[in-house]
Amino acid sequence: MAYYVGVDLGATNVRAVVAVGDGDEIGSGYGATPQGPNGRAVTEAVLDVVREACDDAAVAPGDVRAAGIASVGPLDLAEGAVDDTPNLPAAVERVPLTGPLSDLLATDRVYLHNDSTAGVIGERFHAERNSDDMVYLTISSGIGAGVCVDGNVLYGWEGNAGEVGHVVVDPSGTMTCGCGLDGHWEAYCSGDNVPRYARRLHAEDPVETALPLDDPAFSAADVFAHAGDDAFADRVVDRVTRWNVVGVANLVHAYAPRVVVVGGAVALNNPDLVVGRIRERVPAKIMSNVPEIRLTDLGDDVVVQGAVASAMTDGTGDRNRLFR
């Protein structure tokens, strides 16, 4: 029996699964992503959830054939690490991943990907029709994309292709991104930044609203929950949609995908207000072929499933390269 491990390292949580040769999950581990005191603490959390998943599957770590890791970026593929990610506190400067996991599992078949790249690998692997030209777009606490062109998953310099959350959608630079730069898509439309953008819009035009703008716990979920019942919430959703459409149009013109699959908590929890509105409005911004735009069928599992698919296919997600 062949065993494979997939890891999803996010800014908030880290998850690992063990799967058998047909991709079926037989064990899992889950924990919070440490916010410090250093990167090694995050590495240890990854190793802990992998051990937990192996225990749950009754599989010795040394019996695992290969592993895939999907992680927040930016990445340093040469060193197999996350380097100065804006998604974690500044004290977490560098998170070693492939080396420590390779030591734990006693295999050099450990493949590191940006989490969105893992998303497109998972989508291709599990799709009924394995499209050679597709984008996986995540709209969650951050924004990113995994891209496949002519059957080739794009990795880019050190694995950091697809950081589309940091493309400029607003040249006026009204909002500053978490990375410190202005006008980025993520600064307006990610789950972490929708509340900031709502407060900014309200400061410019302080109309009556039921949104709890002054509550420290005010979130993107509040904005979407009030949409349809609160005029200001509707305005925020409309403005967020405007920037999402600009970002998706840029993706389409850059990569000419046949399908754009959307995931991430913001999209999954608000499919009509996010994906539905992008689908309605993008055609007016596209001068070439308009792709199919749909919500992922894999839900919250798309990234970890991509990590497993990577492990099973020599890091590619191509079913023709399944390990035997």
Side-chain angles (χ1 to χ4, degrees):
M1 179 74 70
Y3 302 106
Y4 303 92
V5 162
V7 177
D8 177 7
L9 172 59
T12 305
N13 299 301
V14 57
R15 177 185 177 195
V17 301
V18 175
V20 289
D22 55 5
D24 287 342
E25 180 182 321
I26 61 170
S28 64
Y30 185 84
T33 302
Q35 302 301 296
N38 51 41
R40 188 68 200 186
V42 180
T43 303
E44 290 300 329
V46 169
L47 298 179
D48 284 345
V49 297
V50 170
R51 293 187 186 99
E52 181 182 344
C54 288
D55 286 345
D56 189 41
V59 172
D63 291 336
V64 172
R65 177 177 290 186
I69 310 173
S71 174
V72 295
L75 305 180
D76 180 344
L77 288 187
E79 297 296 329
V82 180
D83 210 4
D84 288 323
T85 177
N87 303 101
L88 291 171
V92 184
E93 295 181 352
R94 190 172 186 83
V95 182
L97 290 172
T98 58
L101 188 56
S102 180
D103 290 342
L104 174 65
L105 302 179
T107 178
D108 59 358
R109 290 172 167 172
V110 177
Y111 306 98
L112 176 61
H113 306 283
N114 176 278
D115 50 6
S116 297
T117 301
V120 80
I121 289 173
E123 283 293 332
R124 291 192 74 228
F125 187 83
H126 290 285
E128 290 184 9
R129 291 180 296 174
N130 199 0
S131 176
D132 283 342
D133 297 280
M134 69 182 301
V135 167
Y136 169 75
L137 171 67
T138 181
I139 305 177
S140 189
S141 56
I143 293 176
V147 181
C148 182
V149 177
D150 294 337
N152 298 302
V153 175
L154 303 187
Y155 296 99
W157 180 254
E158 291 293 5
N160 295 309
E163 288 282 3
V164 299
H166 302 284
V167 300
V168 175
V169 296
D170 178 14
S172 68
T174 302
M175 297 292 293
T176 299
C177 186
C179 71
L181 301 177
D182 297 332
H184 289 183
W185 185 1
E186 190 169 297
Y188 300 80
C189 302
S190 71
D192 285 351
N193 288 315
V194 166
R196 292 178 54 242
Y197 188 37
R199 290 186 176 110
R200 177 66 176 263
L201 291 173
H202 195 261
E204 295 173 355
D205 184 14
V207 298
E208 184 177 352
T209 178
L211 292 180
L213 297 170
D214 296 328
D215 187 338
F218 173 55
S219 68
D222 294 317
V223 174
F224 289 105
H226 282 79
D229 298 319
D230 183 279
F232 179 69
D234 288 340
R235 181 185 173 203
V236 175
V237 171
D238 185 70
R239 293 292 290 271
V240 167
T241 298
R242 178 191 301 182
W243 302 123
N244 277 336
V245 167
V246 172
V248 172
N250 287 340
L251 273 174
V252 172
H253 288 132
Y255 300 114
R258 295 177 64 90
V259 58
V260 176
V261 182
V262 188
V266 174
L268 289 169
N269 291 327
N270 308 282
D272 294 335
L273 292 174
V274 178
V275 182
R277 294 200 178 184
I278 292 172
R279 188 188 300 117
E280 290 171 2
R281 300 186 192 184
V282 156
K285 299 291 185 182
I286 303 296
M287 67 84 184
S288 54
N289 293 328
V290 178
E292 175 190 359
I293 300 173
R294 63 172 177 83
L295 195 70
T296 177
D297 294 328
L298 298 175
D300 291 332
D301 291 338
V302 60
V303 171
V304 76
Q305 287 295 326
V308 171
S310 169
M312 295 173 63
T313 59
D314 199 23
T316 67
D318 184 347
R319 286 180 173 275
N320 295 321
R321 299 186 66 173
L322 281 169
F323 283 131
R324 302 297 180 189

